[in-house]
Amino acid sequence: MAAAKGRTNGFAIGISIAVVVVLVALGGVVIWLNNKATDAGPAPKSEILNTDTGALTYGGGKDVVAVYLDFQCPICNTFEQQYGEKLEKAAEDGKITLEYHPIAILDRYSQGTLYSSRSAAAAFCVAESNPDKYLDYAKTLFANQPKENSPGLDNDQLIEFAKEVGADKAASCITDEKYVKYPAAQALKHEIKGTPSIDINGKRLDLQKNGVAQLEELIN
Protein backbone atom coordinates (compact mmCIF):
# COMPACT_ATOMS: atom_id res chain seq x y z
CA MET A 1 0.00 0.00 0.00
CA ALA A 2 2.81 2.41 0.95
CA ALA A 3 4.70 1.67 -2.25
CA ALA A 4 1.57 2.16 -4.33
CA LYS A 5 0.88 5.45 -2.58
CA GLY A 6 4.42 6.58 -3.25
CA ARG A 7 4.07 5.86 -6.97
CA THR A 8 0.78 7.76 -7.06
CA ASN A 9 2.28 10.76 -5.28
CA GLY A 10 5.29 10.71 -7.57
CA PHE A 11 3.08 10.81 -10.64
CA ALA A 12 0.94 13.58 -9.15
CA ILE A 13 4.05 15.67 -8.45
CA GLY A 14 5.20 15.21 -12.02
CA ILE A 15 1.78 16.26 -13.27
CA SER A 16 1.91 19.39 -11.11
CA ILE A 17 5.24 20.44 -12.59
CA ALA A 18 4.02 19.76 -16.12
CA VAL A 19 0.82 21.72 -15.59
CA VAL A 20 2.78 24.78 -14.43
CA VAL A 21 4.75 24.72 -17.66
CA VAL A 22 1.59 24.23 -19.71
CA LEU A 23 -0.20 27.13 -18.04
CA VAL A 24 2.68 29.51 -18.74
CA ALA A 25 2.53 28.75 -22.45
CA LEU A 26 -1.23 28.26 -22.71
CA GLY A 27 -2.10 31.55 -24.41
CA GLY A 28 0.33 30.91 -27.25
CA VAL A 29 -0.70 27.29 -27.56
CA VAL A 30 -4.39 28.13 -27.98
CA ILE A 31 -3.62 30.62 -30.75
CA TRP A 32 -1.23 28.17 -32.42
CA LEU A 33 -3.71 25.29 -32.26
CA ASN A 34 -6.54 27.40 -33.67
CA ASN A 35 -4.42 28.41 -36.63
CA LYS A 36 -3.13 24.91 -37.23
CA ALA A 37 -6.47 23.11 -36.88
CA THR A 38 -8.40 25.19 -39.40
CA ASP A 39 -8.05 22.31 -41.86
CA ALA A 40 -8.21 18.96 -40.07
CA GLY A 41 -7.44 17.00 -43.22
CA PRO A 42 -8.84 13.53 -43.84
CA ALA A 43 -10.02 11.41 -40.91
CA PRO A 44 -8.50 7.96 -40.35
CA LYS A 45 -10.59 4.84 -40.91
CA SER A 46 -10.20 1.84 -38.64
CA GLU A 47 -12.34 -0.84 -37.08
CA ILE A 48 -11.18 0.38 -33.65
CA LEU A 49 -11.74 4.10 -34.39
CA ASN A 50 -14.80 5.92 -33.08
CA THR A 51 -15.33 8.40 -35.89
CA ASP A 52 -17.41 10.71 -33.67
CA THR A 53 -14.75 11.11 -30.97
CA GLY A 54 -11.54 10.24 -32.83
CA ALA A 55 -10.75 7.61 -30.19
CA LEU A 56 -9.09 4.25 -30.70
CA THR A 57 -11.33 2.05 -28.58
CA TYR A 58 -10.85 -1.17 -26.59
CA GLY A 59 -13.23 -3.16 -24.41
CA GLY A 60 -16.91 -2.70 -23.71
CA GLY A 61 -17.24 -1.79 -20.04
CA LYS A 62 -19.88 0.67 -18.88
CA ASP A 63 -17.32 3.16 -17.58
CA VAL A 64 -15.42 4.97 -20.34
CA VAL A 65 -11.82 6.02 -19.69
CA ALA A 66 -10.44 8.37 -22.34
CA VAL A 67 -6.70 9.01 -22.43
CA TYR A 68 -5.38 11.99 -24.41
CA LEU A 69 -1.68 11.66 -25.10
CA ASP A 70 1.12 13.26 -27.08
CA PHE A 71 3.96 10.93 -28.04
CA GLN A 72 6.51 13.68 -27.33
CA CYS A 73 5.15 14.27 -23.82
CA PRO A 74 7.47 12.87 -21.08
CA ILE A 75 4.66 12.75 -18.51
CA CYS A 76 2.54 10.75 -20.98
CA ASN A 77 5.42 8.29 -21.15
CA THR A 78 5.47 8.03 -17.36
CA PHE A 79 1.70 7.57 -17.32
CA GLU A 80 1.93 4.77 -19.90
CA GLN A 81 4.61 2.96 -17.90
CA GLN A 82 2.59 3.20 -14.70
CA TYR A 83 -0.95 2.66 -15.95
CA GLY A 84 -0.86 1.31 -19.52
CA GLU A 85 -1.01 -2.39 -18.68
CA LYS A 86 -3.60 -1.83 -15.93
CA LEU A 87 -5.85 0.07 -18.34
CA GLU A 88 -5.54 -2.60 -21.02
CA LYS A 89 -6.26 -5.35 -18.49
CA ALA A 90 -9.32 -3.50 -17.19
CA ALA A 91 -10.59 -3.19 -20.78
CA GLU A 92 -9.93 -6.88 -21.46
CA ASP A 93 -11.80 -7.83 -18.28
CA GLY A 94 -14.82 -5.73 -19.25
CA LYS A 95 -14.38 -3.27 -16.39
CA ILE A 96 -14.00 -0.27 -18.70
CA THR A 97 -14.14 0.92 -22.27
CA LEU A 98 -10.68 2.31 -22.96
CA GLU A 99 -10.28 5.15 -25.44
CA TYR A 100 -6.89 6.33 -26.65
CA HIS A 101 -6.67 9.75 -28.30
CA PRO A 102 -3.26 10.40 -29.94
CA ILE A 103 -3.14 14.19 -30.22
CA ALA A 104 -0.54 16.88 -30.93
CA ILE A 105 0.11 19.93 -28.74
CA LEU A 106 3.93 19.83 -28.52
CA ASP A 107 5.04 20.37 -32.11
CA ARG A 108 6.80 23.55 -31.01
CA TYR A 109 9.32 21.38 -29.18
CA SER A 110 10.62 19.50 -32.24
CA GLN A 111 12.63 22.17 -34.08
CA GLY A 112 10.09 22.60 -36.83
CA THR A 113 9.71 18.90 -37.73
CA LEU A 114 6.18 18.64 -36.25
CA TYR A 115 7.12 15.43 -34.45
CA SER A 116 4.03 15.38 -32.23
CA SER A 117 1.75 15.57 -35.26
CA ARG A 118 3.78 13.12 -37.35
CA SER A 119 4.08 10.49 -34.62
CA ALA A 120 0.35 10.66 -33.78
CA ALA A 121 -0.46 10.54 -37.50
CA ALA A 122 1.77 7.48 -37.85
CA ALA A 123 -0.09 5.83 -34.98
CA PHE A 124 -3.38 6.43 -36.80
CA CYS A 125 -1.83 4.94 -39.94
CA VAL A 126 -0.98 1.79 -37.98
CA ALA A 127 -4.48 1.68 -36.45
CA GLU A 128 -5.96 1.94 -39.92
CA SER A 129 -3.87 -0.70 -41.67
CA ASN A 130 -3.15 -3.02 -38.73
CA PRO A 131 -5.59 -2.22 -35.89
CA ASP A 132 -4.30 -5.08 -33.76
CA LYS A 133 -0.83 -3.48 -33.73
CA TYR A 134 -1.68 0.01 -32.46
CA LEU A 135 -0.95 -0.70 -28.79
CA ASP A 136 2.40 -2.29 -29.64
CA TYR A 137 3.27 0.67 -31.84
CA ALA A 138 2.32 3.21 -29.18
CA LYS A 139 4.51 1.41 -26.66
CA THR A 140 7.39 1.42 -29.15
CA LEU A 141 7.04 5.16 -29.73
CA PHE A 142 7.16 5.81 -26.00
CA ALA A 143 10.11 3.45 -25.55
CA ASN A 144 11.99 5.47 -28.19
CA GLN A 145 10.66 8.88 -27.21
CA PRO A 146 12.94 11.71 -28.36
CA LYS A 147 13.86 14.52 -26.02
CA GLU A 148 11.89 17.74 -26.20
CA ASN A 149 13.59 20.46 -28.26
CA SER A 150 15.12 17.84 -30.54
CA PRO A 151 14.08 17.09 -34.15
CA GLY A 152 12.39 13.87 -33.04
CA LEU A 153 12.22 10.75 -35.17
CA ASP A 154 12.03 11.10 -38.94
CA ASN A 155 9.40 9.32 -41.05
CA ASP A 156 11.80 6.51 -42.01
CA GLN A 157 12.29 5.73 -38.31
CA LEU A 158 8.54 5.83 -37.71
CA ILE A 159 8.10 3.38 -40.59
CA GLU A 160 10.83 1.12 -39.27
CA PHE A 161 9.12 0.90 -35.88
CA ALA A 162 5.84 0.10 -37.64
CA LYS A 163 7.54 -2.76 -39.45
CA GLU A 164 9.06 -4.00 -36.19
CA VAL A 165 5.59 -4.45 -34.66
CA GLY A 166 4.20 -6.07 -37.81
CA ALA A 167 2.44 -3.07 -39.34
CA ASP A 168 4.24 -3.00 -42.68
CA LYS A 169 1.11 -1.82 -44.51
CA ALA A 170 1.29 1.54 -42.73
CA ALA A 171 4.46 2.62 -44.54
CA SER A 172 2.98 4.60 -47.43
CA CYS A 173 0.47 6.33 -45.15
CA ILE A 174 3.32 7.44 -42.86
CA THR A 175 5.46 8.59 -45.79
CA ASP A 176 2.59 10.65 -47.19
CA GLU A 177 1.83 12.11 -43.75
CA LYS A 178 -1.78 11.39 -44.60
CA TYR A 179 -3.21 12.24 -41.19
CA VAL A 180 -0.67 14.83 -40.01
CA LYS A 181 -3.33 17.55 -39.50
CA TYR A 182 -5.76 15.32 -37.63
CA PRO A 183 -4.06 15.09 -34.17
CA ALA A 184 -3.87 18.86 -33.59
CA ALA A 185 -7.48 19.25 -34.75
CA GLN A 186 -8.53 16.61 -32.22
CA ALA A 187 -6.66 18.43 -29.45
CA LEU A 188 -8.60 21.57 -30.25
CA LYS A 189 -11.91 19.73 -30.57
CA HIS A 190 -11.56 18.14 -27.14
CA GLU A 191 -10.14 21.29 -25.50
CA ILE A 192 -6.90 19.65 -24.44
CA LYS A 193 -4.66 22.10 -22.58
CA GLY A 194 -2.08 19.62 -21.32
CA THR A 195 -1.14 15.97 -21.60
CA PRO A 196 -1.89 13.46 -20.36
CA SER A 197 -5.53 14.40 -19.92
CA ILE A 198 -7.89 11.73 -18.62
CA ASP A 199 -11.69 11.66 -18.79
CA ILE A 200 -13.94 9.20 -16.98
CA ASN A 201 -17.43 9.07 -18.47
CA GLY A 202 -16.87 12.43 -20.11
CA LYS A 203 -15.64 14.21 -16.97
CA ARG A 204 -12.03 15.40 -16.97
CA LEU A 205 -9.99 14.31 -13.97
CA ASP A 206 -7.96 16.77 -11.93
CA LEU A 207 -4.67 14.91 -11.79
CA GLN A 208 -3.24 17.40 -9.29
CA LYS A 209 -5.90 16.51 -6.73
CA ASN A 210 -7.88 13.26 -6.47
CA GLY A 211 -8.00 12.34 -10.17
CA VAL A 212 -5.26 9.72 -9.95
CA ALA A 213 -7.01 8.05 -7.00
CA GLN A 214 -10.30 7.96 -8.95
CA LEU A 215 -8.59 6.30 -11.89
CA GLU A 216 -6.85 3.72 -9.71
CA GLU A 217 -10.07 2.89 -7.89
CA LEU A 218 -11.75 2.19 -11.21
CA ILE A 219 -9.07 0.01 -12.80
CA ASN A 220 -7.61 -1.88 -9.82
Side-chain angles (χ1 to χ4, degrees):
M1 177 69 75
K5 183 177 181 181
R7 288 195 298 272
T8 299
N9 290 341
F11 180 74
I13 291 170
I15 286 292
S16 299
I17 294 171
V19 168
V20 170
V21 174
V22 168
L23 289 176
V24 169
L26 182 56
V29 173
V30 171
I31 295 171
W32 179 80
L33 280 174
N34 273 284
N35 290 336
K36 185 174 180 181
T38 301
D39 176 12
K45 297 178 182 178
S46 173
E47 63 187 49
I48 62 171
L49 180 72
N50 182 323
T51 55
D52 291 331
T53 64
L56 301 170
T57 306
Y58 298 87
K62 68 179 181 66
D63 292 308
V64 179
V65 178
V67 180
Y68 297 86
L69 57 90
D70 186 314
F71 288 114
Q72 193 163 354
C73 161
I75 304 299
C76 295
N77 199 342
T78 300
F79 180 86
E80 166 61 27
Q81 292 174 25
Q82 188 165 345
Y83 294 105
E85 290 187 4
K86 292 180 180 180
L87 286 166
E88 291 170 35
K89 182 67 164 54
E92 290 174 4
D93 292 345
K95 289 183 178 180
I96 64 172
T97 295
L98 174 60
E99 296 185 341
Y100 275 119
H101 294 261
I103 60 166
I105 63 171
L106 297 177
D107 276 335
R108 64 194 184 281
Y109 293 127
S110 57
Q111 299 184 9
T113 71
L114 304 180
Y115 178 69
S116 289
S117 288
R118 289 188 299 106
S119 56
F124 279 116
C125 287
V126 169
E128 181 174 77
S129 64
N130 300 87
D132 60 322
K133 301 299 182 183
Y134 166 77
L135 292 175
D136 291 336
Y137 190 64
K139 289 180 175 65
T140 300
L141 290 182
F142 278 129
N144 294 276
Q145 185 180 67
K147 293 181 178 180
E148 291 182 321
N149 297 312
S150 74
L153 307 175
D154 62 28
N155 287 346
D156 288 340
Q157 290 171 305
L158 292 174
I159 290 170
E160 184 58 34
F161 289 137
K163 291 179 178 179
E164 286 181 10
V165 301
D168 301 55
K169 295 178 181 178
S172 62
C173 177
I174 296 172
T175 297
D176 295 342
E177 298 184 359
K178 185 175 181 180
Y179 301 121
V180 75
K181 297 180 180 180
Y182 190 75
Q186 289 297 303
L188 185 63
K189 174 182 177 180
H190 294 286
E191 301 180 347
I192 303 302
K193 298 179 176 67
T195 52
S197 287
I198 316 297
D199 291 355
I200 294 181
N201 297 326
K203 183 177 181 180
R204 192 141 303 163
L205 299 185
D206 186 341
L207 298 178
Q208 297 181 76
K209 294 182 179 179
N210 62 347
V212 173
Q214 291 178 50
L215 178 63
E216 290 191 337
E217 182 178 1
L218 185 62
I219 66 177
N220 286 334

